[in-house]
């Protein structure tokens, strides 16, 4: 969060969570209120590497479907890196029309050894905004054999 204060203690009293910071602040968590001591925040995550085939395998990821709760009017940015290289290749921005949405993107490099997603909001969420990602579904096809675009080869 935005505070550098470390926790000294925490307790649940009558169903409410309390947090005592090392600067003496006592903070209470409230249901349906998503802020860090009144400071707005951004949502983001980076996935592990998705591997459509076995080790050094070869596959195609045709489609990515994301299901979640996204605040109305807040854009969702989906970025894709390929083949264990963390450099972002694709960037998609979608503004969902309703809170519960299924977002769909089509990767530019369907044939790949691996794929990594970075998902974030494009604005700052308000103290009452809730964003959650419920599932990531990949439409995948896998082919036998080694991945063929790894780089230089040597023969004897």
């Amino acid at each position: 969060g935005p505070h550098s204060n470390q926790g000294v203690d925490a307790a649940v009293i009558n169903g409410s969570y309390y947090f005592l910071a090392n600067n003496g602040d006592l903070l209470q968590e409230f249901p349906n209120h998503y802020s860090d001591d009144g400071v707005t925040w951004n949502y983001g995550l980076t996935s592990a590497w998705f591997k459509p085939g076995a080790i050094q395998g070869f596959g195609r990821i045709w489609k990515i479907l994301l299901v979640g709760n996204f605040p109305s009017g807040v854009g969702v940015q989906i970025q894709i890196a390929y083949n264990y290289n963390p450099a972002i290749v694709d960037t998609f921005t979608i503004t969902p029309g309703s809170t519960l949405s299924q977002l769909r993107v089509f990767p530019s490099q369907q044939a790949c050894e691996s794929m990594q997603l970075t998902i974030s909001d494009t604005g700052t969420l308000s103290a009452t905004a809730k964003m959650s990602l419920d599932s990531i579904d990949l439409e995948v096809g896998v082919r036998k054999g080694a991945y063929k675009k790894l780089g230089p080869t040597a023969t004897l």
Side-chain angles (χ1 to χ4, degrees), residues 53-130:
I55 295 173
Q56 295 294 299
F58 174 77
R60 288 186 182 274
I61 299 177
W62 291 298
K63 192 184 314 178
I64 302 166
L65 302 166
L66 306 173
V67 177
N69 288 287
F70 308 103
S72 182
V74 175
V76 178
Q77 181 174 271
I78 301 134
Q79 296 178 304
I80 305 174
Y82 298 92
N83 302 324
Y84 302 106
N85 180 345
I88 300 298
V89 175
D90 294 334
T91 299
F92 303 94
T93 302
I94 302 170
T95 303
S98 63
T99 302
L100 179 61
S101 296
Q102 181 183 60
L103 311 180
R104 180 176 48 208
V105 296
F106 299 92
S108 67
Q109 296 181 21
Q110 293 180 351
C112 61
E113 183 180 8
S114 63
M115 176 184 290
Q116 184 178 56
L117 303 179
T118 299
I119 303 163
S120 59
D121 63 88
T122 60
T124 300
L125 299 176
S126 71
T128 57
K130 177 183 178 184

Side-chain angles (χ1 to χ4, degrees), residues 50-53 58-63 137-142:
F50 297 110
K51 300 168 277 264
F58 174 77
R60 288 186 182 274
I61 299 177
W62 291 298
K63 192 184 314 178
D137 298 308
L138 306 175
E139 190 172 300
V140 175
V142 178

